[in-house]
Amino acid sequence: MHTQHLSRRAVLAGTAATAAVATLPVLQGRAQAAASGTGATAPAYRWRNAVQGGTGFITGILFHPNCRGLAYLRTDIGGAYRWDDRADRWIPLTDHLGWDDWNLLGVEAMAVDPAHPNRLYLALGAYTQSWAGNGAVLRSDDRGATWSRTDLSVKLGANEDGRGTGERLLVDPRDSDTLWLGTRRDGLLKSTDRGATWQTADFPAAPSATGQGITLLVAAGRTVYAGWGDSDGTVDKPNLYRTSDGKTWKPVPGQPAGTAAKVPIRAAYDRHTRELYVTYANAPGPNGQSDGSVHKLRSVNGKWTEVTPVKPGGTATDGSADSFGYGGVAVDARRPGTLVVSTNNRWAEIDTVFRSTNGGRTWTSLKDRAVLDVSETPYLKWGGDTAKFGWWIQALGLDPYDSEHVVYGTGATLYGTRDFRHWAPQIRGVEEAAIRLLVSPPTGEAHLISGNGDIGVMYHERLTASPSRGMASNPVFGTCTGLSLAPAKPSYVVRAGWGNDGNGAYSNDGGKTWTPFETQPAIAKDAPGPIATSADGSVLLWSFAHWDGTKYAAHRSVDNGATWSEVASFPKGAAPIADPVDPTRFYAFDTTTGTVFASTDGGRTFTAGATGLATGDAEFQLKAAPGRTGDLWLSLKANGLFRSTDAGATFTKVSSCQASHTLGFGKAAEGSSYPAIYMVGAIETFNAVYRSHDEAKTWTRINDDQHQWGWTGAAITGDPRVYGRVYLGTNGRGVQYGDPA
């Protein structure tokens, strides 16, 4: 589960693989000063996650083979983490990556050095498309506390098909200074100086055209094996290669062929029995797999044996086809012939982890007697009464110091066990949600309601624990597209999004419980968009836009969603904004024409106001200042920030900043009559998080270089009850909230 953000934002410049190396700074105690005379030195801010608990695809888990309690985790869009055994939580390692490096929050692969426990390597890069920047390799001598970086001349695809395969990065077993990196489209890279520089290695398979390329690298003794993801599954086109001298790669003789062994997904080596186990599927996954197998190679004699626990293709209990592939594999470092493997993309019978203690001759499904405890992350019940064992299981780990400590990643969490029976999320510290909308109510129990990609809406009665109600139900959404609270009636909240049982709902208790709209416009099912409620909750305006860019007429309701009428004069696809004081006023910014529209009759009709503003970007944002009528702020990204004090009739550019991506308001500073303004934007040349106490005349930067979280341009809001507190949406690191330290 993940949300892709595909805007053509600033990307990494294409640089040579031997580019200059930058050493990244350690955590600083205070934020930097703002970038110009309009800024000031910020007081120290403390940044933390508003706890949701995982919420994204765990693509890799790596235990260090020779250091007890040391493990690493990677995600497709949310960076990498290190396990802190004493604190029983994961520590984020890549929050220092900023806007220009947003593409590097996708972690393609990880590697540790068995001989040097403090060394860690990350291969970063989320997308291989032309609009994404090139990949990079980070290397650390202190387990990720500080980094050195080398930019690559190739792209990596940590949020593309095949992101659960791997690992694609490996320290050579003969020489700790030598590293191998498998790419998707550019063959095999090799470094002989611990990742500082990279060269193309001589690899027999042709450069990939499909974007899979080398799917895995694994050491078996002094031999290195590489999986190739672009084979057609025939004997003539092998998909597993090896080198014993670090120079010459050859196909592994006798390797399995056929659809069930088309793509090598993961591999693990049992040093006791000298056997290499490989999982296969007919597609790279995590989606699209319908066949798969597990095979082992005895390295001393080259003999292959199929050890597939259950062959796909049977009939599930519900009568459907039991189709799936195989994903993760891990061997027990303490018990010869003991290993675990996982199924993947098995929807009818639900994915499982199989365990064998005799080299794969017989297997036990650990799901069959599993007791799941998701009390720490209730959203895993997905609006129902029980949680499922998992899906998208390609990351699988077995603790080398505890044979009963098994962990596996899913599309939403990391489950762990210490006895093969009792399982619970081992996810503290990991937050991967892509945040789209944020509301901080002025009254009530919760200080935050979040609208998320993939996991709908959450009511945060506490910021330090996963919401006890989980995802908002009745109906359950995947991705939230709209979230609005009535300022004069803050108990009333509405939401919209993608759902199977309805696309809109309202709450009369501040977001604790929800009721679906009695009816909804027909287009809501295929193109749910942003929604707004008037200041007093008497009028709803719902806009509609399909993910492919098609826009539709907005609809209006005055009976809490029982009936709807079309609003022909509302700009199609625009986000409706309610005036926070006057219930008869609504606003919208038409990004197609660069025109602000306003309504003074409760949203029945709209007329054009200011025009000639920037066009073409659906992410331009119009906001209304709380407690005021007609006080509007327009964030136009690199075009800057504009303000209107006449309900959108005219706008004036704010001279204090160069760029504004998202903006919100919070409790005013002592002695100030105007709300504090929080903004993600640029005062001069770089994007950061800023606060203003004087209506945007001056700004103070409140984040620091170690707290940047990649792209943060979707949502920000202050807390109307707690001065200085700000909630910030990220694209892969959940909700970050900051307080003056």
Side-chain angles (χ1 to χ4, degrees):
M1 183 177 65
H2 64 284
T3 297
Q4 296 186 7
H5 193 96
L6 305 181
S7 298
R8 273 64 169 174
R9 297 185 293 274
V11 296
L12 292 174
T15 53
T18 56
V21 176
T23 300
L24 304 174
V26 298
L27 179 64
Q28 299 172 355
R30 298 176 64 87
Q32 291 185 351
S36 78
T38 60
T41 301
Y45 251 69
R46 181 186 182 191
W47 290 95
R48 291 164 286 179
N49 268 113
V51 176
Q52 291 171 296
T55 70
F57 186 23
I58 307 302
T59 52
I61 177 74
L62 185 61
F63 283 97
H64 196 285
N66 297 317
C67 189
R68 184 188 295 271
L70 181 59
Y72 298 95
L73 175 152
R74 63 177 168 97
T75 68
D76 50 3
I77 64 170
Y81 296 79
R82 180 186 70 246
W83 178 250
D84 186 329
D85 207 34
R86 281 188 278 186
D88 195 34
R89 64 184 299 107
W90 295 94
I91 306 300
L93 301 178
T94 48
D95 284 354
H96 63 273
L97 295 168
W99 266 64
D100 290 344
D101 290 331
W102 65 267
N103 187 55
L104 300 186
L105 264 291
V107 184
E108 181 84 292
M110 310 177 289
V112 296
D113 188 337
H116 299 88
N118 290 335
R119 292 183 183 177
L120 172 66
Y121 302 90
L122 301 179
L124 309 178
Y127 301 105
T128 59
Q129 281 79 8
S130 59
W131 43 261
N134 290 335
V137 172
L138 297 186
R139 60 192 190 279
S140 175
D141 289 322
D142 51 18
R143 305 185 184 187
T146 60
W147 296 98
S148 295
R149 166 176 165 175
T150 295
D151 291 328
L152 301 173
S153 60
V154 303
K155 299 179 187 295
L156 304 179
N159 196 29
E160 298 182 355
D161 286 347
R163 58 194 182 275
T165 64
E167 295 293 324
R168 288 178 161 99
L169 183 64
L170 180 71
V171 175
D172 192 279
R174 308 171 210 81
D175 178 10
S176 288
D177 289 342
T178 298
L179 277 76
W180 301 93
L181 174 60
T183 74
R184 291 170 175 266
R185 299 181 183 274
D186 299 281
L188 181 65
L189 303 183
K190 183 179 182 179
S191 172
T192 57
D193 53 12
R194 294 187 50 222
T197 61
W198 294 85
Q199 300 79 35
T200 301
D202 186 12
F203 192 76
S208 169
T210 67
Q212 290 309 311
I214 294 169
T215 60
L216 66 87
L217 292 163
V218 63
R222 295 175 63 83
T223 300
V224 176
Y225 289 80
W228 183 251
D230 290 302
S231 171
D232 59 6
T234 64
V235 175
D236 294 335
K237 293 186 177 180
N239 56 28
L240 193 66
Y241 296 83
R242 68 185 176 194
T243 180
S244 57
D245 59 8
K247 299 178 182 178
T248 305
W249 291 84
K250 296 180 180 179
V252 179
Q255 62 186 268
T259 301
K262 183 178 178 181
V263 181
I265 304 298
R266 287 186 172 268
Y269 182 65
D270 188 332
R271 60 185 176 85
H272 299 290
T273 64
R274 300 177 71 179
E275 292 173 320
L276 179 72
Y277 293 87
V278 186
T279 59
Y280 293 90
N282 62 339
N287 284 316
Q289 295 177 340
S290 59
D291 201 0
S293 59
V294 183
H295 297 258
K296 70 176 180 179
L297 169 66
R298 186 163 175 77
S299 60
V300 294
N301 59 14
K303 180 183 178 182
W304 282 93
T305 304
E306 182 173 359
V307 292
T308 306
V310 174
K311 289 183 182 265
T315 302
T317 52
D318 65 359
S320 63
D322 186 20
S323 61
F324 57 92
Y326 279 90
V329 56
V331 298
D332 191 331
R334 303 167 67 87
R335 299 177 179 177
T338 299
L339 70 152
V340 287
V341 300
S342 68
T343 63
N344 185 66
N345 206 49
R346 192 183 194 188
W347 296 103
E349 292 292 335
I350 308 301
D351 280 302
T352 187
V353 173
F354 288 102
R355 180 173 183 260
S356 175
T357 59
N358 54 17
R361 289 193 296 274
T362 60
W363 298 88
T364 299
S365 172
L366 299 182
K367 177 190 69 175
D368 295 346
R369 61 190 299 265
V371 177
L372 293 180
D373 177 3
V374 298
S375 57
E376 191 166 321
T377 50
Y379 79 90
L380 290 171
K381 295 180 181 179
W382 302 103
D385 296 327
T386 59
K388 301 204 180 284
F389 194 75
W391 74 101
W392 285 12
I393 304 178
Q394 293 187 294
L396 181 62
L398 204 166
D399 191 334
Y401 290 88
D402 183 352
S403 295
E404 296 186 347
H405 182 201
V406 176
V407 295
Y408 67 90
T410 77
T413 193
L414 181 80
Y415 279 114
T417 185
R418 300 277 184 173
D419 61 7
F420 301 127
R421 178 171 174 80
H422 298 91
W423 299 79
Q426 191 176 327
I427 204 70
R428 290 178 188 170
V430 177
E431 300 291 346
E432 200 188 350
I435 310 301
R436 302 168 63 90
L437 297 159
L438 294 170
V439 169
S440 184
T443 61
E445 178 186 27
H447 280 246
L448 179 67
I449 305 172
S450 63
N452 309 278
D454 294 330
I455 56 170
V457 172
M458 287 190 175
Y459 175 87
H460 301 258
E461 68 268 68
R462 295 171 57 198
L463 297 176
T464 56
S466 185
S468 63
R469 297 175 180 274
M471 296 164 54
S473 58
N474 196 26
V476 172
F477 291 164
T479 292
C480 173
T481 60
L483 183 64
S484 179
L485 176 147
K489 187 183 177 183
S491 61
Y492 186 75
V493 191
V494 293
R495 61 185 173 97
W498 292 91
N500 294 329
D501 301 312
N503 302 89
Y506 66 91
S507 172
N508 282 319
D509 55 14
K512 287 183 182 180
T513 61
W514 298 86
T515 302
F517 296 144
E518 185 176 332
T519 66
Q520 65 179 33
I523 193 59
K525 180 177 177 59
D526 297 319
I531 193 169
T533 174
S534 61
D536 61 359
S538 63
V539 179
L540 301 179
L541 274 181
W542 198 354
S543 182
F544 302 101
H546 196 267
W547 58 267
D548 65 3
T550 307
K551 302 175 181 179
Y552 303 90
H555 283 66
R556 175 178 182 267
S557 176
V558 294
D559 52 14
N560 212 32
T563 60
W564 298 86
S565 58
E566 185 176 310
V567 184
S569 55
F570 184 90
K572 290 182 177 180
I577 302 297
D579 190 280
V581 175
D582 187 345
T584 68
R585 292 180 179 268
F586 285 89
Y587 314 97
F589 180 60
D590 184 358
T591 61
T592 302
T593 64
T595 303
V596 174
F597 286 80
S599 171
T600 58
D601 58 4
R604 292 182 182 86
T605 60
F606 283 78
T607 57
T611 192
L613 300 164
T615 63
D617 196 322
E619 294 173 351
F620 291 155
Q621 296 184 4
L622 181 67
K623 298 291 179 67
R628 287 152 177 78
T629 294
D631 189 350
L632 306 178
W633 298 78
L634 183 59
S635 294
L636 296 178
K637 292 192 168 183
N639 298 291
L641 177 64
F642 291 75
R643 184 185 182 187
S644 171
T645 55
D646 55 12
T650 61
F651 276 83
T652 302
K653 187 171 184 178
V654 177
S655 61
S656 61
C657 62
Q658 286 195 356
S660 178
H661 299 272
T662 185
L663 180 139
F665 304 89
K667 184 176 181 178
E670 185 176 354
S672 175
S673 61
Y674 199 85
I677 304 175
Y678 298 91
M679 181 186 71
V680 176
I683 301 303
E684 284 191 347
T685 58
F686 65 94
N687 289 304
V689 185
Y690 293 94
R691 185 188 68 206
S692 175
H693 289 157
D694 55 11
E695 301 182 49
K697 294 182 180 65
T698 61
W699 298 93
T700 298
R701 185 184 179 192
I702 58 174
N703 73 317
D704 57 64
D705 288 350
Q706 292 303 306
H707 296 88
Q708 300 193 78
W709 316 286
W711 186 78
T712 53
I716 192 172
T717 188
D719 192 308
R721 291 177 274 175
V722 181
Y723 166 71
R725 178 172 292 174
V726 59
Y727 305 98
L728 175 67
T730 73
N731 189 54
R733 279 288 287 123
V735 179
Q736 300 288 335
Y737 74 99
D739 286 304

